[in-house]
Amino acid sequence: MGNEWFPLREGDEQTLAVTYRMDEPREPEQWVLRVEQPSVFQDQPVAVRHHSAGVSYYLKVDEQGVRRVATRTDIDNEPTADPEPVWVLKAPYQVGTEWTTVTVPYLLQRRNEHPRDLKYTHKAQMTWRIEAVDDVVKLADGSTHQPCLRVVGQARLNLYTDPVNGFSDVPLISREWYCRGEGLVKLEREEKVPAGFMTGGVLSAEWVR
């Protein structure tokens, strides 16, 4: 149901090894992403990709690209439609193609206030761009993958970080690599913040066979 850059074959499963380089230590994780039986949502065929964190993503794929149209948590009976579709990859798959999505901070936390995670209180508009179509990705297991799309997203959050700097524009940077015939093989999320009231860091996830 997918395309050559993001195949969505029923039964396909990927395990991603997730590591953190943080101002405060965080244990590594594993995410398992599995393509489940196709479904129909709002009278349209969709692929369903389940994340081991307990959520399924409903993805519509056509000549315009890949976009998420709904999500469903494991405790929900029915999926919930996104207010508007969220692009995952937008055609044409060439350098310079751009799109925007709403994002939340994944890693930023307040040191001494609750809720600690800013993802519950802050949103930002992220601009994505295809920066390469022939990247080579070498993973920790030594395997090499090519050709790959390299997609980079950038957003900024204006936050009161400390009394010296006052308000700072904190960059949120995402990098994703989609390799032909394999899909997402690597991603990084960078949220670095001046020392003070906040903590941040870098998340890296790689496909492990």
Side-chain angles (χ1 to χ4, degrees), residues 110-176:
R110 302 172 178 89
R111 283 191 191 276
N112 300 312
E113 295 179 53
H114 291 277
R116 289 200 64 196
D117 290 312
L118 266 68
K119 64 185 176 185
Y120 300 116
T121 54
H122 288 71
K123 291 182 180 179
Q125 196 79 5
M126 180 167 271
T127 300
W128 295 86
R129 184 176 189 271
I130 297 177
E131 294 204 337
V133 296
D134 54 0
D135 236 15
V136 178
V137 177
K138 189 162 187 178
L139 300 181
D141 64 5
S143 63
T144 300
H145 304 258
Q146 67 182 109
C148 306
L149 298 179
R150 183 176 76 245
V151 184
V152 178
Q154 300 196 50
R156 291 187 177 276
L157 273 183
N158 192 253
L159 298 173
Y160 189 74
T161 53
D162 65 87
V164 176
N165 293 300
F167 281 90
S168 301
D169 272 340
V170 177
L172 312 179
I173 303 169
S174 283
R175 300 178 188 90
E176 298 178 347

Side-chain angles (χ1 to χ4, degrees), residues 196-207:
F197 297 150
M198 305 280 177
T199 68
V202 179
L203 174 159
S204 301
E206 283 194 4
W207 184 21

